[in-house]
Amino acid sequence: ALYTSVFAARILLMRITLIVPYFGKWPEWFPAFLLSCKYNTSIQWLFYTDCEPPGTYYENVKFIYGSLTDLSKLASIRVGFNVSLTSPYKICDLRPAFGEIFQEHIKDREFWGHCDVDIIWGDIRTFITNDILGGYSVISARKQNIAGHFTLYKNTPQINSLYRLFPQFPALINSPQNYMFDEIGMTQIIRNLVARQLLRVYWPKFLLNFANPRNDAPSVLDGYTNGWYWTHGKLYDQTDGNHEIMYLHFMTWKDSLKQIDFSYDNHPGSFNITSTSIFSSY
């Protein structure tokens, strides 16, 4: 019985919540984003938003209603100094403080993180295993850099307050300029801690849309007719062979990817992703 209980404890997945403040209007591809979340059943997404929640309910996606002003007020209370967000884009600078700001929503989580929504997810747990989560306090999808589009932080007071190691953060967060602190500032803080052997960080290679897994450089997102294929929770890069990838980040396609042939009510088992459209293949 003891052996059974120890074995069961080992296979329990560490719990992860990805926190996503989002304001304005859901993007055209959002049904595909949510469907790819649905298949990652052991990971939770928490949206803080002024958008109407989609009609379809997913157990692992939670929506909390709030405005940008509401987020500024909540952040001010949680971090202990004034936070005044002037635009949704400014939230990038606030991301490293999410562990403190949303503490009541992640009490039972071993890790929290931030991500973008111009993404289609593959099977995250294939790439972010329990062994990785158990061995590192910060996990990023960029080599030697913190990624705004996917970074995980261990949910401890020490890690949640890393952003405070930048003394000018209160002034920075109240400036209207976006400093990309979630990437540039946190990379500097974390590199310094790694160099002093005070922090273990997992950022060995790109985990997203690289055409060749042996190449650390990301592929260029050209206008492929049919470069990426999602099926039942798995995502494949077909631009150079057929390689499983953790997610596709299509930030350069946001102005061109305007068509999708399914809605929140439809649940195709498979779909293709191009620079202009997402179309189901069932």
Side-chain angles (χ1 to χ4, degrees):
L2 178 60
Y3 173 82
T4 302
S5 64
V6 170
F7 179 76
R10 283 178 178 171
I11 64 173
L12 285 176
L13 293 173
M14 292 191 187
R15 293 158 296 186
I16 299 169
T17 291
L18 289 165
I19 301 167
V20 193
Y22 190 90
F23 303 98
K25 177 186 176 185
W26 298 124
E28 287 85 355
W29 62 80
F30 202 54
F33 174 94
L34 286 181
L35 185 58
S36 70
C37 292
K38 174 191 174 184
Y39 277 78
N40 285 284
T41 56
S42 66
I43 296 173
Q44 181 186 70
W45 277 263
L46 175 67
F47 280 90
Y48 189 97
T49 182
D50 60 358
C51 300
E52 187 74 23
T56 302
Y57 172 76
Y58 298 103
E59 278 192 12
N60 62 330
V61 183
K62 182 179 180 181
F63 296 91
I64 299 173
Y65 185 83
S67 66
L68 190 63
T69 299
D70 293 332
L71 179 57
S72 295
K73 291 178 180 177
L74 175 63
S76 299
I77 293 169
R78 292 287 185 255
V79 301
F81 50 81
N82 183 66
V83 174
S84 180
L85 302 171
T86 54
S87 72
Y89 200 45
K90 184 65 179 175
I91 294 169
C92 294
D93 287 338
L94 190 63
R95 280 170 163 172
F98 284 178
E100 293 184 348
I101 296 169
F102 294 97
Q103 56 189 261
E104 64 181 291
H105 300 285
I106 60 171
K107 288 178 181 176
D108 63 344
R109 305 276 118 175
E110 281 77 34
F111 279 82
W112 64 272
H114 50 71
C115 68
D116 290 341
V117 297
D118 48 355
I119 279 175
I120 300 297
W121 301 101
D123 186 350
I124 296 173
R125 294 287 188 173
T126 294
F127 296 85
I128 306 298
T129 65
N130 247 23
D131 286 343
I132 292 171
L133 293 169
Y136 299 89
S137 296
V138 180
I139 297 160
S140 171
R142 289 181 63 199
K143 184 179 181 180
Q144 304 297 311
N145 287 275
I146 295 302
H149 40 86
F150 183 86
T151 291
L152 301 179
Y153 291 96
K154 193 171 184 178
N155 187 19
T156 66
Q158 180 187 14
I159 300 301
N160 292 351
S161 61
L162 285 178
Y163 73 95
R164 295 181 182 271
L165 295 177
F166 185 72
Q168 294 80 28
F169 185 82
L172 176 150
I173 202 63
N174 287 295
S175 165
Q177 181 179 342
N178 177 13
Y179 292 94
M180 298 178 66
F181 184 76
D182 57 333
E183 296 188 335
I184 297 173
M186 289 304 291
T187 294
Q188 293 174 349
I189 289 171
I190 288 171
R191 280 182 183 171
N192 179 265
L193 293 173
V194 170
R196 295 160 58 196
Q197 298 185 330
L198 297 175
L199 189 67
R200 283 178 55 79
V201 180
Y202 183 80
W203 49 15
K205 61 183 178 181
F206 284 88
L207 299 172
L208 55 160
N209 47 276
F210 45 85
N212 186 337
R214 295 181 298 278
N215 188 346
D216 285 342
S219 61
V220 177
L221 287 180
D222 292 327
Y224 290 104
T225 303
N226 186 14
W228 287 266
Y229 178 65
W230 180 94
T231 179
H232 298 93
K234 297 283 188 177
L235 181 63
Y236 298 92
D237 179 347
Q238 299 179 323
T239 60
D240 180 20
N242 190 41
H243 308 290
E244 183 177 357
I245 57 175
M246 191 175 88
Y247 67 102
L248 170 64
H249 180 215
F250 48 86
M251 62 176 294
T252 57
W253 291 353
K254 285 189 284 191
D255 292 333
S256 63
L257 206 168
K258 298 295 185 182
Q259 296 180 333
I260 181 170
D261 73 349
F262 59 91
S263 66
Y264 301 114
D265 300 326
N266 304 329
H267 300 117
S270 305
F271 58 81
N272 295 276
I273 311 153
T274 78
S275 58
T276 60
S277 64
I278 295 176
F279 56 94
S280 54
S281 49
Y282 290 90

